[in-house]
Amino acid sequence: MNKMGTVIGFTFRNKVKTKSFVVTTIILALIMSIAINIPYFIQLFTGEDLKNEVTKIGLVYEQQVELADQLDTYWQAQKSDDFTFVKYDTANEELLNKDIEEGKIEGYLQFVSDDKAVFPTVLYSSEEEEGLSPIVQADLAGALQAVKMQYIVKDALTAEQTAALAIPVQLDSRQVNNTSTEAPDTEEEVAQKVINYGVVYVLLILFFFTSISTGNMIASEVTTEKSSRIMEILITSVSPLTQMFGKIIGMFLVGLTQIAIFIIVMIGNVMMPQNKAILADFDLNLSNVSTDVLVYGFIFYLLGYFLFAVLFAAVGSIVSRTEDLAQAVMPITMLTLAAFYIATFSFGAPNSMLMKVASYIPFFSPTTVIVRIGVGDIAPWEIWVSILILIVSILVLGWLSAKIYRTGVLMYGKRPTIKELRKAMKAYKI
């Protein structure tokens, strides 16, 4: 155990002090900081307040005072911040154009009377060729539609009937022969699903990048020691099994250290004054995060890491030159990519047959099960069967990788064939 601790400590200290680790961590932390502060940088360079920017539209009351007043009243009742009206009693184009130039309004709206039309023509004037933004245009069109309806029906309908006509028809769906009486999701349940969706996606990205980066670091470390002949000295003082798992655990701690640094950087940037207001707009409540997602996410992250790590260590031990390492680890990298893509592309169908089958394949279950827990439906027994399969797979592949590691680290020259490995492995008993 003391030797295991020595190998873990040596691997951890040696890796975190390397220039590549320090430079990579700093660059990624800077990229994260820039990405989080992009809205602030845009505001800083453009001089625009992105959060408090509200489109101001001039509303001309001349000719159609009643309609203009109804439109303004209706929009105030909506309590929306997409745009606001600025009242103008007369259609003084000189004054209106001056206010547009000075930025007081984006443009102005007026009702143009037409004796032949049932409803007056609505005219919007501005300096911009494209006019209003799609969001503002859609909201304004909805408000005008409500005013038009009220103008046409007048006293023919009650206020309740007029309001009911303005509400869009909601199309519900149901499954044929489905006897379920479950109520629709509440706002709190919807918020929980949204935040769990984000947490699951973050876990998938962390698993993918950690598996790839730390796995390649393990393989590279073993190959470097082997190519420099240091392995011949190490193998005489520390058993191959202790050495392999010591490196795996040490690299795992390196990966956790890097993740902890990124989390601290992210929290630090989010809590900065310019980002607090933006974060408040999302109304995120961390209490909505499912405990199952976090607990099982860590379990599957841990087991998935060790599953791929023993494979990276075994492959690294049979490669004599670092130039050949990328090609040797390609099959394992492809498995990691497959696990990531199967999970991410199945977010919309977490209960599909593909996801159910992949939940019992150890190379894919670390990602697929988390997706099913976070955004799908999965029985507890399915989770534990998947965990059991993962543990058994780690033990079997760990045993096999240890034998490959023991024989591979002392085989130099060209990459050994499967037949040569099998022959050498028979002479070594774990």
Side-chain angles (χ1 to χ4, degrees), residues 8-74:
I8 294 172
F10 174 78
T11 302
F12 176 79
R13 289 191 299 271
N14 188 48
K15 199 62 188 177
V16 296
K17 290 179 181 178
T18 58
K19 185 181 294 184
S20 60
F21 176 83
V22 174
V23 171
T24 302
T25 304
I26 291 175
I27 290 175
L28 290 176
L30 286 174
I31 292 173
M32 288 179 60
S33 300
I34 293 172
I36 294 172
N37 289 280
I38 282 177
Y40 173 71
F41 291 141
I42 293 175
Q43 176 185 340
L44 189 66
F45 288 109
T46 61
E48 297 176 358
D49 188 348
L50 298 180
K51 181 184 182 306
N52 297 322
E53 183 180 6
V54 178
T55 302
K56 294 182 179 180
I57 300 175
L59 182 58
V60 180
Y61 275 65
E62 190 177 3
Q63 294 186 0
Q64 295 290 341
V65 177
E66 183 180 356
L67 278 178
D69 190 57
Q70 287 178 356
L71 179 61
D72 187 31
T73 303
Y74 174 85

Side-chain angles (χ1 to χ4, degrees), residues 8 12 54 79 137 158 160 233 252 256 296 348 355 358 364:
I8 294 172
F12 176 79
V54 178
K79 297 180 179 178
Q137 191 171 354
T158 63
E160 291 77 9
I233 301 173
F252 176 69
L256 286 184
Y296 286 120
M355 292 289 282
F364 305 143

Side-chain angles (χ1 to χ4, degrees), residues 332-404:
I332 310 175
T333 303
M334 296 302 294
L335 280 175
T336 311
L337 283 168
F340 178 73
Y341 285 129
I342 288 174
T344 51
F345 289 149
S346 299
F347 262 85
N351 301 314
S352 63
M353 184 57 67
L354 173 64
M355 292 289 282
K356 291 179 179 179
V357 172
S359 299
Y360 303 109
I361 301 176
F363 298 110
F364 305 143
S365 58
T367 56
T368 55
V369 174
I370 292 303
V371 172
R372 293 184 64 192
I373 293 173
V375 299
D377 297 317
I378 185 171
W381 68 266
E382 293 182 89
I383 299 174
W384 287 105
V385 167
S386 182
I387 290 175
L388 181 62
I389 293 173
L390 257 176
I391 293 174
V392 172
S393 301
I394 291 171
L395 294 175
V396 172
L397 290 175
W399 172 82
L400 182 62
S401 297
K403 296 196 74 172
I404 296 174

Side-chain angles (χ1 to χ4, degrees), residues 99-113:
D99 286 352
I100 291 175
E101 291 178 1
E102 294 178 356
K104 294 181 180 179
I105 56 175
E106 296 290 329
Y108 60 91
L109 189 76
Q110 58 183 327
F111 295 94
V112 180
S113 300

